[in-house]
Amino acid sequence: MGIIIEMQNVSFIAEKQHIVQSLSYQFEEGKATALVGPSGGGKTTILKLAAGLLVPAQGAVYFQHEDISLMNRSQRLKFRRQATFVFQDSALWANQSLYQNMEMPLRIHFPQMPKPERDRRINEALAEVAYQKDLMMRPSKLSMGEQKLIAFARAMLCRPVLLFLDEWTESLDDHAAQRLINIVKAHKDKGNTLIFVSHDLRLVKYLADYVLMVTSGAITMKLTGAQLASDTDLAQYIEKGIYS
Ligand SMILES: Nc1ncnc2c1ncn2[C@@H]1O[C@H](COP(=O)(O)OP(=O)(O)OP(=O)(O)O)[C@@H](O)[C@H]1O
Ligand SMILES: [Mg+2]
């Protein structure tokens, strides 16, 4: 398997502070990589940099060996269709209905798709996450957990090969969380790539081929999923790091 995302000497500065400094990492295609670590450690920032959603102050990020910042419009569109992101705060468009939130990616990426086909895909994606309420509501009417379901279903609509997931089971009840975990596992079993952030060590153990400990904007430890599963001392150490 090759490298799907490569971060080369990436730095990110916000409010004159280095949040990430000279970070390099290669994410393997077809694998699940988990970013774990304490709150404020830089997991979301690194995930967004890897997804090309934040622009590095220095360094570069490559998707399938193409520098994301140098992509032309059509390359960028293709990248966005293939690599989707579930945000920690769901990031639904507040002034659009749930239906419009779901419809937008299909309109952007498949402008020729007829409305009945769009609706079929939307219904299918919502059925998978078992969301059944009125789609004409605005996101603010939904609970945090319901917003997560919609954001997740929206990310799956264009059938991505690479999923970026930032705490995508947070605020969900156990049933809903398990449903999303099963979808993600099935997605991975088809050979797709996952790069995800989670505070849930059980979930990390279940899904991750690689586990990266992120502290102060740096990758301070890299383990394989197998190491984490077999070494209880290491698992305890990681757990402490996650919850510190
Ligand atoms: N745009 C920004 N402006 C100022 N500070 C920022 C910005 N983006 C990130 N930071 C800071 O960088 C640090 C890392 O933030 P980040 O959101 O990446 O952490 P995290 O590991 O995802 O935390 P959590 O587990 O709470 O989600 C934090 O101290 C945060 O305040
Ligand atoms: Mg975060």
Side-chain angles (χ1 to χ4, degrees):
M1 279 281 176
I3 302 303
I4 192 160
I5 290 280
E6 174 163 15
M7 303 177 78
Q8 245 180 36
N9 283 317
V10 171
S11 296
F12 181 73
I13 299 169
E15 293 175 18
K16 297 184 185 152
Q17 296 225 333
H18 263 99
I19 312 285
V20 174
Q21 199 155 13
S22 300
L23 181 118
S24 295
Y25 191 78
Q26 295 180 326
F27 291 93
E28 277 182 45
E29 189 167 10
K31 301 286 184 192
T33 305
L35 275 58
V36 303
S39 290
K43 303 179 296 296
T44 295
T45 307
I46 292 172
L47 196 70
K48 286 184 177 172
L49 285 164
L53 295 173
L54 289 175
V55 180
Q58 275 160 4
V61 181
Y62 300 84
F63 171 67
Q64 295 173 338
H65 311 292
E66 294 283 340
D67 185 333
I68 296 173
S69 69
L70 300 179
M71 285 178 179
N72 63 29
R73 194 181 134 71
S74 80
Q75 287 173 311
R76 187 170 287 269
L77 258 182
K78 188 172 173 211
F79 168 54
R80 288 276 162 252
R81 175 166 53 77
Q82 293 183 305
T84 57
F85 200 104
V86 178
F87 293 86
Q88 191 167 9
D89 61 358
S90 296
L92 298 174
W93 288 292
N95 60 351
Q96 309 267 311
S97 70
L98 300 175
Y99 178 80
Q100 287 168 319
N101 266 276
M102 292 293 290
E103 193 187 31
M104 187 81 82
L106 293 176
R107 276 183 177 274
I108 292 172
H109 295 297
F110 303 99
Q112 312 296 340
M113 187 183 279
K115 183 170 164 28
E117 173 63 10
R118 277 206 305 271
D119 288 352
R120 197 188 60 74
R121 282 239 205 156
I122 290 170
N123 289 332
E124 192 183 276
L126 291 170
E128 268 212 81
V129 302
Y131 182 84
Q132 290 163 336
K133 288 193 189 163
D134 179 9
L135 287 183
M136 290 306 136
M137 287 191 290
R138 295 283 166 99
S140 61
K141 296 279 185 293
L142 269 54
S143 71
M144 297 297 275
E146 288 171 326
Q147 290 186 36
K148 273 271 154 81
L149 290 181
I150 299 286
F152 182 84
R154 183 177 66 174
M156 298 302 285
L157 267 180
C158 294
R159 302 179 181 151
V161 297
L162 167 56
L163 262 178
F164 294 95
L165 302 165
D166 197 351
E167 299 284 7
W168 83 107
T169 57
E170 210 178 48
S171 16
L172 291 176
D173 68 64
D174 288 349
H175 281 299
Q178 194 55 53
R179 195 171 290 117
L180 298 204
I181 292 164
N182 293 344
I183 297 171
V184 167
K185 176 75 165 65
H187 193 66
K188 185 195 163 207
D189 289 345
K190 284 185 198 152
N192 297 303
T193 311
L194 305 174
I195 306 178
F196 71 98
V197 172
S198 180
H199 278 98
D200 182 345
L201 190 62
R202 260 188 342 145
L203 171 57
V204 170
K205 278 184 178 169
Y206 177 60
L207 275 181
D209 298 300
Y210 299 108
V211 183
L212 308 179
M213 176 63 106
V214 174
T215 316
S216 304
I219 296 170
T220 49
M221 190 188 276
K222 177 183 170 181
L223 305 171
T224 63
Q227 281 174 310
L228 189 64
S230 62
D231 190 329
T232 45
D233 287 347
L234 211 48
Q236 265 182 7
Y237 177 80
I238 294 287
E239 193 158 19
K240 258 197 199 154
I242 293 179
Y243 296 114
S244 66

